[in-house]
Amino acid sequence: MKERNNTIGKTLQLLALAAAMTAASAASAQSAGSWLGTLGINKITPKVDSGDVSAPALPHTKADVEADTKPRFTVAYMYTDNFSTELDLGLPYKHDLIGAGAIEGSGKVGSSEVLPPTIFAQYRFLPPASTVRPYVGLGLTYAYFQKERGSAQLTALLNTGGPGSSFKLDNKVAPSVQLGGTVRINQRWFADATVIKTFLKTKVHFSTGQVQDVRLDPLAVSVSVGYQF
């Protein structure tokens, strides 16, 4: 009888331990009430469709924009086991503007920094404790342009022999779509990868009076490490 009681006691202890481990696993899954934070690297590549610089300028004077890579960090909150919101932040990206169209090959005509904070509403597929969880998001990006600088080449194109030319880009709110996924490393840590497409059109105002419409439509690709709180 004593041996039987010992066996029952050990069985109960094992069941209690298993229940505690299950509860801990559920608490650390990406479930309702969880906060998720990530830190990683993000590359933004504008997919430019440039309009012409207005007169007086060489006909078909266009521009292209080069890519830049910077750190990216996000904070997300799980409202349910599947629905979340995410705030994307980071350092300003610096993009070089180069000649295109009639002035292709003329080199750098300027540079600008842009800070693009974005907020997403997300749907995360599969159960909270899944090893891999793909997700989609729909959001809004605020493109804040700063530190625009024209080059000597820009002055030569728009104001030959005159003072240095400068320009200003309009800040814009633009829709963004997101496709990503997380891979669980352990109870708290996970890896994250995401692709974001933003549909952004802005206007360039030159100090010499010309204007130019530019569709930037950047594509952002990032990889990060995340932690669940």
Side-chain angles (χ1 to χ4, degrees), residues 21-187:
M21 292 177 65
T22 301
S25 176
S28 62
Q30 294 179 6
S31 55
S34 299
W35 288 90
L36 311 176
T38 71
L39 177 63
I41 295 294
N42 188 44
K43 181 178 181 179
I44 293 183
T45 305
K47 305 297 183 180
V48 180
D49 182 8
S50 171
D52 297 341
V53 176
S54 64
L58 185 67
H60 308 301
T61 295
K62 300 179 183 292
D64 201 356
V65 182
E66 295 188 336
D68 190 27
T69 301
K70 287 289 190 297
R72 167 183 178 262
F73 57 93
T74 71
V75 177
Y77 179 74
M78 302 290 301
Y79 289 97
T80 72
D81 287 351
N82 299 98
F83 287 99
S84 60
T85 57
E86 180 180 270
L87 178 62
D88 288 23
L89 300 169
L91 300 175
Y93 296 82
K94 184 176 181 180
H95 297 280
D96 287 339
L97 284 65
I98 57 176
I103 60 169
E104 186 173 357
S106 60
K108 179 179 173 180
V109 296
S111 64
S112 175
E113 291 186 0
V114 59
L115 189 63
T118 304
I119 187 166
F120 284 106
Q122 298 173 319
Y123 182 81
R124 296 175 185 260
F125 299 91
L126 304 180
S130 299
T131 300
V132 177
R133 293 197 78 187
Y135 60 85
V136 294
L138 180 63
L140 290 175
T141 296
Y142 181 65
Y144 178 75
F145 296 96
Q146 61 183 17
K147 297 183 180 179
E148 297 97 328
R149 293 185 175 88
S151 69
Q153 181 63 23
L154 181 66
T155 301
L157 291 168
L158 299 183
N159 197 26
T160 306
S165 297
S166 60
F167 64 96
K168 184 73 179 73
L169 289 153
D170 288 343
N171 301 327
K172 292 288 183 178
V173 176
S176 295
V177 293
Q178 179 186 43
L179 176 63
T182 61
V183 178
R184 188 178 181 185
I185 299 172
N186 57 33
Q187 297 298 324

